[in-house]
Amino acid sequence: MQCIMKRLLLLFLLTPLVALSQNNFEKHFTENSLRIDFELAGNADEEFAILQSMKQEPHWGGNQQALIPKYNMGDYRITIKNLDEEILYSKGFNSLFREWQTISEAQKINRSFHHAIQLPYPRDSVIVSINSRQKDGKFQTLLKWEVNPKDYLITQDKTPHYPIDTLSYAGNSSDYLDLVFIAEAYTKDELTKFQKDVQRFKQWIFSVAPFTKYKNNVNIYAILAPSQDSGPDVPGDSIYQNTLLNASFYTFNSPRYLTIRDTKKMYDIAAQVPYDHVYVIVNTEIYGGAGFYNTYTSCASDCRNAEEIASHELCHGLIGLADEYYTNGDEINYYYNLDIEPWEPNITTLIDFSKKWKHLVNKDIPIPTPRIPKYEDELGAFEGGAYQSKGIYSPMQDCKMKTNNTNELCPACQEAVHKIMQTYINN
Ligand SMILES: [Zn+2]
């Protein structure tokens, strides 16, 4: 009884807060979205954000009660402030550009990578900024400009009209996670296969704990968009196909790195439905995928271990988890600064382990934890992770963010999934 009273009291206390944040949304934003297309460009030492276009799109799938993220995640951040410099909305994200900056080509030339982000559509003039996380973990502004929502140069081009298959509907897009799956490299005759593939992916993803707990809290749409050719580009085998989103293996010469070249078209198609995250299923038996935090996820439809990769890549794209794998000796000089904690929830430099999963570790487990059979099934902090064998520690000796030998997430990754999923759900 006392417990019920407490709950009622809590409900009473929470209700005005929810109403307040709802009012805050309605005060500042409409139900549409402001789509910003921009390039992240530069080389190994310099980066720029270049505005391409602004457009009004019909839906904004985000959580109207969580306009400012609870967790400080992402290599980049887009922010809306009012003219009094108060933050109204903010969102972290990752870019392929940041990875490209670490390869040798970036020492020689400038390149640019397209992005598009939907913001809630402002009612009044606002300041939008694109910010980049620096080596010290702090953000630097790359581009800042004023947006007048009544500007007629903000286009209102119609969205495409591909058929939409609704696989799950939990409720209002603001109160649930909205996932949109898009077909890539499926011909018109193969779209029935795509519909079956999406069912398979849905089943695979929501059978991995703790996504299992959220399967009734997700709206899932599939957009049946045909390509002229079947199967994506495989440049290493001189295969170049005419497909809708121009998906390609061999990104940065990595055979299995399957990315989307025409991201502009991808977001045009996604705009048909309210979405939080875009997931592209690429029709191929070749092993591969990719996931960029709050940008998009891609995965091969029929390769070996497709079941394991389907959720692994979504953990990058939606949850912001890092890879826990690394190679001994053959190091990738990645961008982790070992003097600070990386923002990804499942890796640590042990600089401030209490901010990570320390609270989940048994008191008798040594930190760092030796990679020996004694600690095979224990949570600890094992050296090696995020492509580096030294200085970065990961939570377990194996996890689905490390290998396909297991289809389970370690407790640190599971906690991160809970935290992020709850930011999408109001109930
Ligand atoms: Zn893990």
Side-chain angles (χ1 to χ4, degrees):
M1 186 64 183
Q2 200 186 4
C3 185
I4 292 172
M5 284 307 288
K6 262 190 193 164
R7 267 195 224 158
L8 282 173
L9 186 66
L10 194 67
L11 195 69
F12 177 75
L13 288 171
L14 282 175
T15 309
L17 281 178
V18 168
L20 189 71
S21 48
Q22 190 70 40
N23 286 345
N24 220 23
F25 180 85
E26 284 163 12
K27 184 178 162 198
H28 297 294
F29 302 107
T30 73
E31 297 284 328
N32 302 124
S33 61
L34 172 64
R35 173 165 140 189
I36 309 283
D37 281 61
F38 60 98
E39 301 269 341
L40 288 174
N43 52 50
D45 304 316
E46 289 180 298
E47 62 179 341
F48 309 95
I50 299 161
L51 180 64
Q52 281 190 337
S53 60
M54 292 189 286
K55 180 178 175 183
Q56 183 178 312
E57 290 186 324
H59 313 285
W60 185 69
N63 185 346
Q64 297 179 2
Q65 294 172 29
L67 298 173
I68 295 165
K70 214 168 166 182
Y71 309 106
N72 177 12
M73 293 174 66
D75 290 333
Y76 296 89
R77 182 187 281 172
I78 190 159
T79 298
I80 305 179
K81 289 182 179 175
N82 64 16
L83 299 185
D84 295 328
E85 293 280 311
E86 288 167 322
I87 297 179
L88 304 180
Y89 175 79
S90 182
K91 181 180 186 172
F93 64 97
N94 272 16
S95 174
L96 189 56
F97 172 72
R98 181 64 56 101
E99 291 178 34
W100 174 79
Q101 283 189 298
T102 66
I103 71 172
S104 60
E105 189 182 50
Q107 305 281 347
K108 300 171 206 147
I109 58 165
N110 288 352
R111 274 189 73 176
S112 72
F113 294 76
H114 170 264
H115 278 265
I117 294 185
Q118 279 187 336
L119 306 174
Y121 202 91
R123 290 188 187 277
D124 301 310
S125 287
V126 291
I127 306 287
V128 176
S129 66
I130 296 166
N131 310 280
S132 162
R133 194 188 291 268
Q134 304 297 295
K135 285 268 179 208
D136 61 3
K138 298 193 175 99
F139 283 92
Q140 189 179 68
T141 299
L142 300 179
L143 183 69
K144 189 165 118 170
W145 73 103
E146 187 172 329
V147 176
N148 171 4
K150 295 172 187 77
D151 185 348
Y152 55 67
L153 291 176
I154 299 174
T155 63
Q156 296 186 21
D157 300 351
K158 296 214 171 14
T159 54
H161 282 287
Y162 294 110
I164 299 163
D165 193 0
T166 303
L167 282 88
S168 299
Y169 187 75
N172 189 311
S173 63
S174 171
D175 299 331
Y176 298 95
L177 173 70
D178 307 283
L179 274 182
V180 57
F181 285 89
I182 302 179
E184 161 62 355
Y186 291 79
T187 62
K188 207 170 170 223
D189 293 340
E190 289 172 320
L191 288 176
T192 314
K193 174 184 181 297
F194 170 66
Q195 287 177 285
K196 286 182 193 153
D197 291 348
V198 181
Q199 289 285 1
R200 202 155 39 93
F201 271 58
K202 176 190 160 191
Q203 169 68 27
W204 284 344
I205 291 162
F206 290 96
S207 62
V208 172
F211 288 106
T212 41
K213 284 198 161 50
Y214 299 98
K215 65 178 168 215
N216 297 324
N217 291 291
V218 189
N219 298 326
I220 301 179
Y221 306 98
I223 301 187
L224 281 58
S227 291
Q228 188 176 307
D229 291 338
S230 175
D233 288 1
V234 192
D237 296 337
S238 297
I239 296 170
Y240 304 101
Q241 301 275 76
N242 183 347
T243 63
L244 195 65
L245 307 181
N246 214 356
S248 179
F249 286 99
Y250 282 87
T251 305
F252 306 157
N253 289 310
S254 169
R256 66 185 194 178
Y257 206 177
L258 175 63
T259 62
I260 305 304
R261 295 241 182 97
D262 197 343
T263 46
K264 189 170 188 305
K265 199 174 278 172
M266 176 180 80
Y267 291 114
D268 286 346
I269 294 168
Q272 287 184 236
V273 295
Y275 67 87
D276 291 301
H277 193 70
V278 177
Y279 197 130
V280 179
I281 300 182
V282 183
N283 186 25
T284 179
E285 291 179 0
I286 302 171
Y287 184 95
F292 304 97
Y293 177 58
N294 278 350
T295 297
Y296 72 86
T297 296
S298 63
C299 185
S301 59
D302 297 278
C303 66
R304 71 183 153 85
N305 293 116
E307 177 170 0
E308 288 79 13
I309 308 170
S311 48
H312 173 100
E313 299 301 355
L314 188 68
C315 284
H316 289 310
L318 181 68
I319 310 297
L321 294 179
D323 277 316
E324 292 178 20
Y325 58 80
Y326 60 95
T327 43
N328 279 310
D330 187 20
E331 297 286 311
I332 294 174
N333 288 321
Y334 231 66
Y335 47 81
Y336 290 105
N337 175 358
L338 301 183
D339 295 329
I340 60 166
E341 275 296 334
W343 61 262
E344 291 90 337
N346 62 328
I347 51 170
T348 177
T349 48
L350 295 179
I351 294 291
D352 193 356
F353 190 35
S354 61
K355 286 214 173 101
K356 293 296 171 69
W357 61 91
K358 189 180 178 185
H359 58 283
L360 300 173
V361 178
N362 279 333
K363 298 270 177 291
D364 53 349
I365 301 293
I367 301 295
T369 321
R371 279 189 189 268
I372 56 174
K374 185 181 173 189
Y375 301 117
E376 197 172 39
D377 296 320
E378 297 287 351
L379 184 71
F382 299 86
E383 191 161 33
Y387 325 113
Q388 293 183 195
S389 63
K390 299 275 175 230
I392 297 270
Y393 300 80
S394 41
M396 277 188 83
Q397 297 202 44
D398 205 1
C399 166
K400 78 175 284 107
M401 294 316 288
K402 186 180 178 208
T403 70
N404 290 326
N405 298 333
T406 174
N407 200 21
E408 283 180 29
L409 288 165
C410 71
C413 288
Q414 290 203 24
E415 187 182 57
V417 171
H418 277 301
K419 283 181 167 179
I420 298 301
M421 289 300 285
Q422 281 159 14
T423 66
Y424 287 102
I425 296 162
N426 300 314
N427 58 22

Short mmCIF file of all heavy atoms in Angstrom, two decimals, residues 1-15:
data_model
loop_
_atom_site.label_atom_id
_atom_site.label_comp_id
_atom_site.label_asym_id
_atom_site.label_seq_id
_atom_site.Cartn_x
_atom_site.Cartn_y
_atom_site.Cartn_z
N MET A 1 0.83 -1.21 0.00
CA MET A 1 0.00 0.00 0.00
C MET A 1 0.87 1.26 0.00
O MET A 1 0.68 2.17 -0.80
CB MET A 1 -0.92 -0.03 1.24
CG MET A 1 -1.94 1.11 1.26
SD MET A 1 -3.09 0.97 -0.12
CE MET A 1 -4.06 2.43 0.11
N GLN A 2 1.85 1.19 0.93
CA GLN A 2 2.76 2.33 1.02
C GLN A 2 3.45 2.53 -0.34
O GLN A 2 3.65 3.65 -0.80
CB GLN A 2 3.80 2.04 2.10
CG GLN A 2 4.46 3.31 2.58
CD GLN A 2 5.59 3.01 3.53
OE1 GLN A 2 5.93 1.87 3.78
NE2 GLN A 2 6.17 4.04 4.07
N CYS A 3 3.77 1.37 -0.94
CA CYS A 3 4.45 1.39 -2.23
C CYS A 3 3.56 2.05 -3.30
O CYS A 3 4.02 2.87 -4.08
CB CYS A 3 4.79 -0.04 -2.62
SG CYS A 3 5.74 -0.12 -4.11
N ILE A 4 2.26 1.70 -3.26
CA ILE A 4 1.32 2.29 -4.23
C ILE A 4 1.24 3.80 -4.03
O ILE A 4 1.27 4.58 -4.97
CB ILE A 4 -0.08 1.64 -4.11
CG1 ILE A 4 0.00 0.19 -4.59
CG2 ILE A 4 -1.12 2.41 -4.92
CD1 ILE A 4 -1.24 -0.62 -4.34
N MET A 5 1.19 4.19 -2.74
CA MET A 5 1.12 5.62 -2.44
C MET A 5 2.34 6.35 -2.99
O MET A 5 2.25 7.42 -3.57
CB MET A 5 1.04 5.85 -0.92
CG MET A 5 -0.32 5.57 -0.32
SD MET A 5 -1.65 6.45 -1.15
CE MET A 5 -1.31 8.12 -0.58
N LYS A 6 3.50 5.69 -2.79
CA LYS A 6 4.74 6.29 -3.28
C LYS A 6 4.69 6.46 -4.78
O LYS A 6 5.08 7.48 -5.33
CB LYS A 6 5.93 5.39 -2.90
CG LYS A 6 6.64 5.84 -1.64
CD LYS A 6 7.92 5.05 -1.48
CE LYS A 6 8.49 5.24 -0.10
NZ LYS A 6 9.48 4.23 0.20
N ARG A 7 4.18 5.41 -5.45
CA ARG A 7 4.11 5.45 -6.91
C ARG A 7 3.18 6.56 -7.37
O ARG A 7 3.46 7.27 -8.32
CB ARG A 7 3.61 4.11 -7.45
CG ARG A 7 4.76 3.20 -7.81
CD ARG A 7 4.25 2.07 -8.66
NE ARG A 7 4.85 0.84 -8.20
CZ ARG A 7 4.33 -0.35 -8.41
NH1 ARG A 7 3.19 -0.47 -9.04
NH2 ARG A 7 4.94 -1.42 -8.01
N LEU A 8 2.03 6.66 -6.65
CA LEU A 8 1.07 7.71 -7.02
C LEU A 8 1.68 9.09 -6.85
O LEU A 8 1.52 9.96 -7.68
CB LEU A 8 -0.20 7.58 -6.16
CG LEU A 8 -1.16 6.47 -6.58
CD1 LEU A 8 -2.28 6.33 -5.56
CD2 LEU A 8 -1.73 6.75 -7.97
N LEU A 9 2.43 9.22 -5.73
CA LEU A 9 3.07 10.50 -5.45
C LEU A 9 4.08 10.82 -6.55
O LEU A 9 4.15 11.92 -7.07
CB LEU A 9 3.76 10.43 -4.08
CG LEU A 9 4.36 11.75 -3.59
CD1 LEU A 9 3.26 12.76 -3.33
CD2 LEU A 9 5.16 11.53 -2.31
N LEU A 10 4.84 9.78 -6.93
CA LEU A 10 5.85 9.94 -7.97
C LEU A 10 5.18 10.35 -9.29
O LEU A 10 5.63 11.25 -9.99
CB LEU A 10 6.62 8.63 -8.15
CG LEU A 10 7.91 8.71 -8.94
CD1 LEU A 10 8.93 9.54 -8.18
CD2 LEU A 10 8.47 7.33 -9.19
N LEU A 11 4.06 9.67 -9.58
CA LEU A 11 3.32 9.97 -10.80
C LEU A 11 2.85 11.42 -10.79
O LEU A 11 2.97 12.14 -11.77
CB LEU A 11 2.11 9.02 -10.89
CG LEU A 11 1.43 8.92 -12.25
CD1 LEU A 11 2.35 8.22 -13.24
CD2 LEU A 11 0.13 8.15 -12.13
N PHE A 12 2.35 11.82 -9.61
CA PHE A 12 1.87 13.19 -9.45
C PHE A 12 3.00 14.19 -9.68
O PHE A 12 2.84 15.21 -10.33
CB PHE A 12 1.29 13.34 -8.03
CG PHE A 12 0.83 14.74 -7.74
CD1 PHE A 12 -0.36 15.22 -8.30
CD2 PHE A 12 1.57 15.58 -6.93
CE1 PHE A 12 -0.78 16.52 -8.04
CE2 PHE A 12 1.16 16.87 -6.67
CZ PHE A 12 -0.03 17.35 -7.22
N LEU A 13 4.18 13.83 -9.13
CA LEU A 13 5.32 14.73 -9.27
C LEU A 13 5.83 14.77 -10.71
O LEU A 13 6.30 15.79 -11.18
CB LEU A 13 6.47 14.29 -8.34
CG LEU A 13 6.22 14.54 -6.85
CD1 LEU A 13 7.31 13.88 -6.02
CD2 LEU A 13 6.18 16.04 -6.56
N LEU A 14 5.74 13.61 -11.38
CA LEU A 14 6.30 13.53 -12.74
C LEU A 14 5.40 14.20 -13.77
O LEU A 14 5.89 14.78 -14.71
CB LEU A 14 6.51 12.06 -13.13
CG LEU A 14 7.75 11.39 -12.54
CD1 LEU A 14 7.75 9.92 -12.92
CD2 LEU A 14 9.03 12.06 -13.02
N THR A 15 4.09 14.10 -13.58
CA THR A 15 3.16 14.58 -14.61
C THR A 15 3.40 16.03 -15.02
O THR A 15 3.51 16.31 -16.21
CB THR A 15 1.70 14.36 -14.15
OG1 THR A 15 1.60 13.00 -13.75
CG2 THR A 15 0.72 14.65 -15.25
#
